[in-house]
Structure formats: C-alpha cells, structure tokens
Amino acid sequence: MSTQSVYKTQKNAKSPAERLRTLVIYLLLTLGVGIMLFPFLWMVATSFKLPQDVYNLRLIPETITFDNYAAIFKKAPFAQWIKNTLIISLIATSTVLIFDTAAGYVLAKFSFVGKQLIFLLIISTLMVPTEMLIIPWYLIANELGWSDTYWGVLFPGIITAFGIFLMRQFMDSIPSDLLDAARIDGLNEWRILLHIAIPLVKPAIITLIILTFIGNWNQFIWPLIVLQTEEKFTLPVGIVYFSSELKDTSNWILIMAGTTISIAPLIVIFLIFQKQIIRGITLSGMK
C-alpha cells in the first residue's frame, strides 16, 4: 500500500465517538422520517379500510376494499370537483406565468420614473398575511358579482408579487448588451422577451409554473369562502363537504379516499420535477 493510500485510510478512519455520533444522527433522522411519513401512510391505508376499522392504526388493512373510492364519486360530484380544481389551477398558472414574466422583465430591464417605488410596493404586499386580504377580496367579489364563480376564485391570484420578484431577479442577470444587440437587429420588445429573455431564465419559469400550480391546487380558505354551490367546489373544499354533510360513520374513510386522490397528481408532479421543485424552494428561500 502506498504512503498516499495509507494517509487517506487514516484520514477517513473515524474514532468510536464519531461513529457513535453518526449513528445517533442517522437514528434521529430515521425517526423524524417515520414521524413525518406515518400520517400520510395511515391516510392512504385508511382509504382502503372498512368503516369499522377507521380508528385502527394498522398500516396494512385487514380487509382491503375499493368501495370508499366508488362511494365518493356516487355521493358527491367528485369528478366535477377535480375538473374545477384543474381548470382553476391551469388558468391561474397561465396568467401568473404571462403577467409575472412580463412585469419582471420590465422592472429588470427598463428605466422609468418610479420603478424602484413600484417594485418596493409590489414586494411589500408579500408581508401582508392572506387572512387580512380575505375581507377586501370578499367585498370586491360581492360588489362585482363574482361570488360563487370560477373568476371569483381566480382574480386574487392572476398575478403574484412572489412571481414578479422571482422573475425580476432572474431577468436582471441577463446581459443588457445582448438585449441591445437584438434591438439593433430589429426585434421588438415582445420578440426579445419571447425568443431571448425567457429561454435564458428557463429554470425560474419552471419553478414559477410548478409552485403556482401546486399552490392553486391546494388552495382552501378563499375558495371555501367565495364558493357556495356544491357543483363549483374545488377538491380541498369538496373534501370538507364529507365531514359537514354526510353524517354517518363512513365520513373519515371517504375523507381519506378523497384526500388520497387529491394529492396523487401532486405526488406525480413531484416525482417528475423533484429537482426543479427543490431548486425552486432553494431559489425562493421558502421553508
């Protein structure tokens, strides 16, 4: 064995105290993962249980049944709720992508009076809790006749301060000389945005799409307030329907089945785009 190999072996060798510390860290991490995963696994397992087994903590049902999934589609317009949630999420994601990208580009690459003030005003809205905005949103929706409509759910989120901030930061990193060269070549600002700026900030675009879609898919408080008709409910609001309207012992297993279906698309999205989601969380500083 060479001297260098011996040195590396000695360097990599851990003392008993270091091994014990590593073991304790791994045990704590494993315990933490188990604590976090158990409610999720119990929810999925309970969705396949019989009503009398709903309070059983077993993760493998004694009798597996798919009747709960059939029941939620029979007892409520569950397919319509999925369609409503998908429509609202896709429209909100599209509008946020268009408006936030354009606003971020203008704030990053154009000079005009009051630009910094406008940007600061937009950023300052991030400090206002959503709960404080619900009453103004409700009054606006009532005044304009948007209550109990898709547009009533959508209008507070068609453009977001977070998206503008994210896109502005990325657009700011694009060399201005590159954009000036495109202007000299005769491209107008929309073509510069579409063909030069957006391809250079593709990671931010993907991050914005994923986070916006997930946020709108899981949105609960505002749709719960603005929607009253059962057929217009979104999935999170509709799942609450099982706890408030169906007064029988099967409520919990129906809620578990509905919740399992509602998170299935998000799990698929996470498995496909997990690198982009983790990168997006890192870039945006979200916890």
Side-chain angles (χ1 to χ4, degrees):
M1 184 179 293
S2 66
T3 305
Q4 189 175 8
S5 298
V6 172
Y7 174 74
K8 286 184 178 178
T9 302
Q10 290 176 345
K11 186 179 178 180
N12 294 330
K14 293 182 178 179
S15 65
E18 289 177 330
R19 289 179 181 174
L20 179 61
R21 187 175 63 182
T22 303
L23 178 63
V24 170
I25 291 173
Y26 274 101
L27 287 176
L28 290 175
L29 290 174
T30 304
L31 179 64
V33 170
I35 292 173
M36 292 182 67
L37 280 182
F38 179 79
F40 172 76
L41 296 176
W42 182 84
M43 176 193 73
V44 176
T46 303
S47 69
F48 293 102
K49 292 178 182 176
L50 297 172
Q52 59 268 28
D53 297 330
V54 66
Y55 297 115
N56 191 326
L57 293 180
R58 291 170 59 96
L59 293 180
I60 300 177
E62 294 180 4
T63 303
I64 296 178
T65 176
F66 291 92
D67 292 346
N68 305 324
Y69 288 92
I72 60 175
F73 284 94
K74 287 181 181 177
K75 294 185 176 182
F78 202 80
Q80 182 64 39
W81 296 346
I82 295 174
K83 180 182 174 184
N84 297 342
T85 310
L86 188 61
I87 290 173
I88 289 171
S89 301
L90 289 176
I91 293 176
T93 303
S94 301
T95 58
V96 165
L97 181 62
I98 294 170
F99 294 129
D100 289 9
T101 302
Y105 177 68
V106 171
L107 289 171
K109 292 300 174 187
F110 285 79
S111 297
F112 51 89
V113 178
K115 186 177 82 169
Q116 291 301 325
L117 178 61
I118 292 172
F119 182 62
L120 287 175
L121 288 174
I122 292 172
I123 294 301
S124 65
T125 62
L126 289 172
M127 294 183 286
V128 181
T130 302
E131 290 77 7
M132 291 185 65
L133 298 171
I134 284 179
I135 293 177
W137 290 347
Y138 184 76
L139 294 175
I140 293 171
N142 257 352
E143 186 69 25
L144 298 177
W146 295 343
S147 291
D148 203 24
T149 64
Y150 290 156
W151 178 244
V153 179
L154 280 166
F155 84 88
I158 58 173
I159 183 169
T160 64
F162 164 74
I164 293 174
F165 171 74
L166 182 69
M167 296 311 301
R168 190 257 188 194
Q169 298 304 100
F170 272 81
M171 291 289 185
D172 203 34
S173 64
I174 299 174
S176 296
D177 293 343
L178 184 63
L179 305 181
D180 290 338
R183 292 186 184 103
I184 292 172
D185 288 342
L187 270 64
N188 61 39
E189 294 300 332
W190 283 110
R191 293 187 67 186
I192 293 173
L193 174 63
L194 291 174
H195 298 294
I196 297 178
I198 287 179
L200 292 175
V201 295
K202 197 178 292 181
I205 296 284
I206 295 173
T207 299
L208 185 61
I209 291 173
I210 294 171
L211 296 181
T212 304
F213 184 86
I214 292 174
N216 281 279
W217 185 273
N218 288 326
Q219 192 180 186
F220 174 68
I221 295 179
W222 176 238
L224 177 67
I225 293 172
V226 78
L227 295 175
Q228 290 90 42
T229 306
E230 185 182 312
E231 285 72 20
K232 294 179 181 175
F233 285 174
T234 57
L235 269 178
V237 178
I239 290 171
V240 175
Y241 167 89
F242 290 116
S243 65
S244 59
E245 298 294 333
L246 304 178
K247 304 295 185 184
D248 56 51
T249 56
S250 61
N251 281 1
W252 282 110
I253 55 173
L254 296 180
I255 292 172
M256 295 302 118
T259 307
T260 302
I261 291 177
S262 72
I263 64 171
L266 301 183
I267 293 175
V268 172
I269 290 174
F270 178 78
L271 292 176
I272 296 174
F273 299 106
Q274 56 182 305
K275 289 184 180 178
Q276 288 83 355
I277 292 174
I278 294 171
R279 178 178 168 82
I281 292 173
T282 305
L283 290 173
S284 60
M286 293 171 61
K287 295 181 178 179

